[in-house]
Amino acid sequence: VIAGSVRSMIVSGPAGIGKTYTIEGLLESAKDEEKITCEAVRGFIKASGIYKLLWENREENQVILIDDCDSAFQDEVSLNLLKAALDSSKKRVLSWRSEKSFASESGEDVPNSFEYKGSIIFITNLKFDNVKSKKLQDHLEALQSRCHFLDLTIDSERDKMLRIRQVHRDADGGLFSNHDLTEEQSTEILDFMWENRTKLREVSLRMSLKIADLFKISKDNWKSLAVTTCMRNQ
């Protein structure tokens, strides 16, 4: 996507395994090198918001990151716009034929038709196969056919721990770079998580950072605090 060779991709997988962490890191590096511009959207967005977003980021080397924004996948108008934006045709033209007009964030009038040349990355926890609406399923299948689809089937506690260790290994300064921990202390936290992976409320990057916070609170008592606050009642 950064190189402009791929128009879109969907990254699907469970929460807390570093999907956003990894992709944002790559996009930020590319922005710093002025290879791309990027706008991230999270939370809730309506179809009109998607149309404006596509207009504002319509040129080549402009990347939109739609992260954990499942409303985009649950509305037919939104899905039709995204399908048009990511169509395999040489020229991708989007239209909004409504009596209502609106302006972009810069105050510029958004036209009722324009050519889209940008790229989109979707990050989602949503299992597309579990969507019950037949109409939406058809749209989602059509969207998937336009995108490179990466399904991170990291479901077991073991697989999640391996992913956490991978992120720690590859991250600049390690996973706990903001906690001023030594590598020995970091390893101790990850080993503790591994030993208690079936007891933790969740095995995720967020949980590892929570436990690192407890380590900073008390280097002598952090394990007891973790048992109290981070583990399920046995």
Side-chain angles (χ1 to χ4, degrees):
V1 173
I2 289 169
S5 304
V6 173
R7 291 180 178 179
S8 59
M9 65 183 298
I10 299 171
V11 181
S12 174
I17 58 171
K19 301 185 299 295
T20 299
Y21 177 88
T22 300
I23 292 171
E24 276 192 336
L26 294 170
L27 293 175
E28 286 299 323
S29 295
K31 281 175 62 179
D32 292 342
E33 296 171 12
E34 299 184 348
K35 294 180 179 178
I36 62 165
T37 63
C38 180
E39 182 167 353
V41 178
R42 297 179 179 85
F44 176 80
I45 188 168
K46 296 195 297 185
S48 57
I50 287 176
Y51 188 78
K52 287 167 60 176
L53 180 70
L54 293 167
W55 159 254
E56 292 162 356
N57 299 274
R58 64 192 178 278
E59 301 297 345
E60 293 180 0
N61 302 319
Q62 289 188 301
V63 180
I64 297 170
L65 175 62
I66 299 180
D67 182 9
D68 199 16
C69 191
D70 291 344
S71 55
F73 299 130
Q74 295 171 352
D75 174 75
E76 287 190 76
V77 178
S78 298
L79 286 167
N80 279 326
L81 287 170
L82 292 170
K83 282 162 34 182
L86 302 175
D87 194 70
S88 56
S89 58
K90 187 173 182 180
K91 192 170 184 178
R92 297 171 279 165
V93 177
L94 279 72
S95 298
W96 185 272
R97 302 291 180 177
S98 171
E99 294 79 8
K100 181 182 178 181
S101 60
F102 38 75
S104 66
E105 293 298 320
S106 62
E108 186 179 8
D109 287 339
V110 179
N112 58 19
S113 183
F114 65 92
E115 183 179 0
Y116 179 73
K117 302 176 182 178
S119 303
I120 305 176
I121 298 174
F122 303 94
I123 301 176
T124 181
N125 304 333
L126 185 67
K127 292 280 189 182
F128 284 12
D129 293 341
N130 293 341
V131 174
K132 294 181 180 178
S133 167
K134 181 65 170 65
K135 280 187 177 180
L136 289 182
Q137 268 194 350
D138 291 342
H139 285 298
L140 289 171
E141 286 176 7
L143 185 63
Q144 284 180 255
S145 74
R146 289 160 166 78
C147 300
H148 290 265
F149 190 90
L150 179 60
D151 187 359
L152 301 176
T153 52
I154 303 176
D155 294 323
S156 71
E157 284 83 4
R158 176 185 179 277
D159 288 345
K160 291 176 183 178
M161 279 304 309
L162 290 173
R163 171 62 178 154
I164 291 169
R165 289 186 185 276
Q166 179 193 33
V167 171
H168 176 64
R169 181 196 68 199
D170 295 342
D172 185 19
L175 182 57
F176 309 115
S177 58
N178 294 328
H179 288 77
D180 298 322
L181 302 181
T182 66
E183 184 57 32
E184 183 179 356
Q185 291 169 334
S186 298
T187 300
E188 189 178 1
I189 290 172
L190 295 177
D191 287 346
F192 174 82
M193 289 185 66
W194 172 258
E195 292 165 5
N196 296 281
R197 61 191 182 279
T198 61
K199 302 175 185 177
L200 292 168
R201 293 185 183 277
E202 65 173 10
V203 178
S204 66
L205 292 172
R206 297 185 188 94
M207 180 60 74
S208 65
L209 296 176
K210 286 180 184 178
I211 295 175
D213 289 338
L214 297 177
F215 192 99
K216 286 194 70 175
I217 292 171
S218 174
K219 289 182 173 59
D220 297 324
N221 201 38
W222 66 274
K223 290 184 180 179
S224 296
L225 293 172
V227 168
T228 303
T229 64
C230 300
M231 292 190 188
R232 295 187 293 268
N233 293 329
Q234 299 299 309

